[in-house]
Amino acid sequence: MQLMSGRNAAGGGLRERKKRATRAALAEAAVRLAAEHGVEKVTVEAISAAAGVSVRTFFNYFDTRDDAFVAVDSDAHVRVRRSVLDAPAALSPLDAVREAIRTELAEAEQRHELWRLHAEVLRAAPHLLVRRISAHMADETELAEAVAERIRARSGAPARRSASAAASAASATSATSATEEERRAALDLYPRLLAAVATTAVRVSLEHWCARQDELSFPDVFQEAFSLLAAGLPAPPVR
């Protein structure tokens, strides 16, 4: 998986870029070690050594060992959200989301090995898969909020306080799952549906491409998936 894209490297000051690079290196080291030896045999010490940092540095970035296994490209949703909000006003919500994700995945075809290893690690460790699904749901909610904000801006409706901010203010000590539920409940159907369909399209595109790498390029599969969505999923021609 793409851990440090050109956009990652370009954003923020030198200190922030170094932090992102260190976090990315730790996450990649964790995944590669887990794929080779199994999750339960991987220690924080081994991950730190593979990334070339101290154990103390590891805990500057992650609270637990398991956090590193699910942190691959963990800030991608932030970049996608910003791209959706900054996309040209003439683009439809679907096209804005498509372009944001396409840009984020531009290097995926070159980094497919890590994508594959990460998927294998999650499948072999159900407790990590549960954590990744929870993170995925949070990312999907944030994408839906960005779509909703974009729609309000295009319609000229007054900006309103984000659901996430409202939920946080209402109950700073509430559980993460409850907060996510409140945020989703505050959204209209269209943003939630678009975010869910888009993230599913990315997953299916990756799975389809991984099984046919000798025949297809990932950008072509991704583009076809979103073109089918934009066309309303017409039935394929009979062959």
Side-chain angles (χ1 to χ4, degrees):
M1 178 175 284
Q2 174 187 347
L3 288 179
M4 281 295 291
S5 68
R7 289 196 303 149
N8 289 72
L14 177 61
R15 181 180 177 84
E16 287 304 313
R17 293 199 298 273
K18 287 183 176 180
K19 285 183 176 180
R20 288 196 295 267
T22 300
R23 182 180 177 86
L26 286 165
E28 181 168 353
V31 168
R32 292 190 179 280
L33 287 170
E36 182 177 357
H37 303 291
V39 169
E40 297 308 321
K41 294 182 179 179
V42 178
T43 64
V44 169
E45 289 78 7
I47 296 171
S48 303
V53 301
S54 68
V55 171
R56 181 178 179 179
T57 297
F58 177 95
F59 285 111
N60 287 337
Y61 292 89
F62 302 108
D63 292 332
T64 69
R65 182 202 63 160
D66 285 359
D67 289 340
F69 295 126
V70 297
V72 173
D73 215 10
S74 58
D75 59 349
H77 65 287
V78 177
R79 299 188 297 270
V80 169
R81 174 186 172 87
R82 177 45 51 194
S83 294
V84 168
L85 294 176
D86 292 344
L91 289 183
S92 68
L94 176 61
D95 286 337
V97 170
R98 168 168 49 187
E99 286 306 301
I101 296 175
R102 182 190 62 77
T103 301
E104 186 59 36
L105 297 177
E107 297 177 19
E109 194 168 12
Q110 285 72 44
R111 299 301 303 272
H112 70 276
E113 180 204 9
L114 195 54
W115 288 68
R116 178 180 58 79
L117 292 178
H118 193 225
E120 290 177 0
V121 169
L122 294 181
R123 282 197 296 267
H127 70 289
L128 294 181
L129 182 58
V130 170
R131 294 184 65 164
R132 186 66 193 101
I133 290 173
S134 296
H136 172 80
M137 289 297 294
D139 294 350
E140 184 180 301
T141 300
E142 189 161 334
L143 177 58
E145 288 172 340
V147 171
E149 186 174 339
R150 180 178 176 83
I151 291 172
R152 287 196 299 272
R154 291 185 69 190
S155 67
R160 68 187 186 193
R161 194 180 188 189
S162 70
S164 58
S168 177
S171 180
T173 60
S174 63
T176 300
S177 58
T179 301
E180 289 299 317
E181 184 177 343
E182 291 171 359
R183 290 169 64 187
R184 289 193 292 271
L187 291 163
D188 291 334
L189 176 62
Y190 182 90
R192 291 188 62 183
L193 184 60
L194 176 53
V197 169
T199 53
T200 299
V202 172
R203 176 181 60 77
V204 173
S205 295
L206 282 169
E207 292 174 351
H208 187 78
W209 169 68
C210 284
R212 298 168 176 79
Q213 295 176 41
D214 295 335
E215 309 168 25
L216 304 167
S217 71
F218 177 69
D220 287 344
V221 175
F222 175 81
Q223 190 64 32
E224 181 181 1
F226 271 80
S227 294
L228 288 170
L229 289 177
L233 286 178
V238 179
R239 297 179 179 176

